[in-house]
Amino acid sequence: MRHFLDIDAIDASELKNILKMAHDMKNARIGMPKGAHDNGAPLAGHILAMIFEKSSTRTRVSFDVGMRQLGGSAVLLETSTSQLGRGETIADTARVLSRMVDAIMLRANSHKSLVELARWASVPVINGLTDKSHPCQIMADLMTVEEAGLNLKDARLAWVGDGNNVLTSFIEASAVFGFSLVAACPIGYQPDNKIVNKAIAKGAKIEVLTDAALAVTGADCVVTDTWVSMGDTNVSERMQALSPYQVDEELMAKANNGAIFMHCLPAHRNEEVTDAVIDGASSKVFDEAENRIHAQKAVLRWCLEK
């Protein structure tokens, strides 16, 4: 079964093929209407169940549009309007949906729920985000880095802010794609040492610092994310700890000439990033958002062996 749960759970050659397929499909659509099927409609007749425990804009729309472009369709399930929200077990849900659809995407509060769903499902399961990782986002991000003309093997990426689930997937990806990664996070908000050390043992070039300016110096790409995610309750504590990590024009100026800025969105403008940066010439955030469609289409085709 081809599940797409975490970057480090998939063979490097397969991940590189997925990334190449994403580029190829996006390039093939140049000049096509947005709603048109991709040539051959490779997922014609296929149905994706999308389960949301957390609200979403980009994940929901990109998977739905991606399925439509591939000739398939998607069914939306939210915990507030399904039996998952009324006590049905994940195992039972997995077995029922496996009789009805061809693949399942879960955007979950807990990574354990994703693993449990994959354990009981007899169709591919895709990680649409959990508290641990966000692999689909990273595939879109790496696609964006390459579109900007950077060679991943030679690129230096700087992460600034909270050591969250998106950073975890970047750490895992660094061991596969060869880019160096420097993360600047305050004490108490740094990534899990076990995840970092596991990636380093696989050959990743990773540093974890507390100095944002030092991390950004010489970077080809600067990445950040919101300081307060859905479910976080220690809001004032987070804001205080992370306020020195705002990405502004002064910080971006320390990166290499022509460096790009990325953010998976939604952004809290003038908190983790200023308007001047996110709307500036270096920003690739809207390319990044669009690329979710194409990266996830490649993931879907890989999972369904199409």
Side-chain angles (χ1 to χ4, degrees):
M1 188 64 58
R2 286 186 167 185
H3 299 307
F4 193 83
L5 306 185
D6 271 313
I7 296 289
D8 69 350
I10 301 167
D11 185 79
S13 63
E14 300 283 1
L15 288 166
K16 291 173 182 177
N17 287 338
I18 290 169
L19 188 57
K20 181 182 182 302
M21 189 190 305
H23 282 296
D24 290 345
M25 285 192 293
K26 183 175 182 180
N27 291 334
R29 289 191 64 81
I30 294 173
M32 291 175 61
K34 289 184 174 65
H37 286 174
D38 285 1
N39 292 337
L43 296 190
H46 289 72
I47 301 171
L48 171 71
M50 305 187 300
I51 305 175
F52 288 91
E53 293 183 345
K54 288 187 172 185
S55 59
S56 168
T57 298
R58 277 148 294 277
T59 298
R60 177 174 175 173
V61 176
S62 58
F63 268 109
D64 194 341
V65 170
M67 282 298 292
R68 295 183 195 208
Q69 289 183 358
L70 291 170
S73 59
V75 176
L76 174 65
L77 290 149
E78 295 173 317
T79 53
S80 61
T81 56
S82 68
Q83 294 302 327
L84 265 175
R86 300 184 60 171
E88 183 170 45
T89 67
I90 292 172
D92 286 353
T93 298
R95 287 180 285 193
V96 168
L97 290 180
S98 294
R99 303 290 186 99
M100 298 180 174
V101 301
D102 301 287
I104 305 169
M105 186 283 298
L106 173 63
R107 184 175 173 91
N109 292 312
S110 169
H111 197 77
K112 291 180 180 178
S113 298
L114 178 78
V115 174
E116 181 76 355
L117 185 72
R119 176 188 173 194
W120 290 101
S122 56
V123 297
V125 172
I126 299 170
N127 180 353
L129 175 143
T130 71
D131 58 343
K132 175 180 177 282
S133 59
H134 199 356
C136 286
Q137 180 66 56
I138 266 49
M139 297 303 288
D141 288 356
L142 298 182
M143 184 179 173
T144 307
V145 170
E146 289 188 328
E147 283 183 342
L150 294 167
N151 184 330
L152 285 174
K153 286 186 177 180
D154 301 323
R156 176 184 169 97
L157 276 65
W159 175 276
V160 181
D162 186 21
N164 63 12
N165 51 357
V166 180
L167 177 56
T168 291
S169 290
F170 265 121
I171 289 168
E172 294 177 351
S174 67
V176 174
F177 293 94
F179 58 86
S180 62
L181 176 63
V182 185
C185 313
I187 299 297
Y189 297 88
Q190 295 184 327
D192 188 329
N193 279 333
K194 290 181 180 178
I195 293 170
V196 173
N197 291 335
K198 183 178 179 181
I200 290 173
K202 293 181 177 180
K205 296 165 285 186
I206 300 171
E207 294 180 82
V208 179
L209 313 174
T210 56
D211 188 325
L214 184 59
V216 169
T217 300
D220 300 302
C221 174
V222 178
V223 192
T224 193
D225 198 358
T226 55
W227 293 341
V228 181
S229 299
M230 287 180 285
D232 289 332
T233 56
N234 55 338
V235 176
S236 59
E237 177 186 311
R238 283 180 162 273
M239 295 296 287
Q240 183 176 356
L242 289 158
S243 60
Y245 293 81
Q246 183 185 74
V247 180
D248 57 16
E249 288 179 295
E250 182 180 354
L251 188 64
M252 280 297 299
K254 297 183 184 299
N256 285 339
N257 289 334
I260 64 172
F261 170 77
M262 297 200 306
H263 187 308
C264 67
L265 302 179
H268 293 179
R269 287 168 172 262
N270 300 310
E271 287 184 8
E272 72 271 8
V273 59
T274 60
D275 284 336
V277 172
I278 198 169
D279 293 328
S282 63
S283 177
K284 300 295 181 183
V285 300
F286 299 111
D287 293 337
E288 191 182 353
E290 177 188 351
N291 284 340
R292 288 289 300 276
I293 297 173
H294 307 292
Q296 288 162 188
K297 286 195 298 185
V299 168
L300 285 160
R301 291 184 65 175
W302 176 80
C303 285
L304 292 165
E305 301 187 61
K306 298 292 183 179

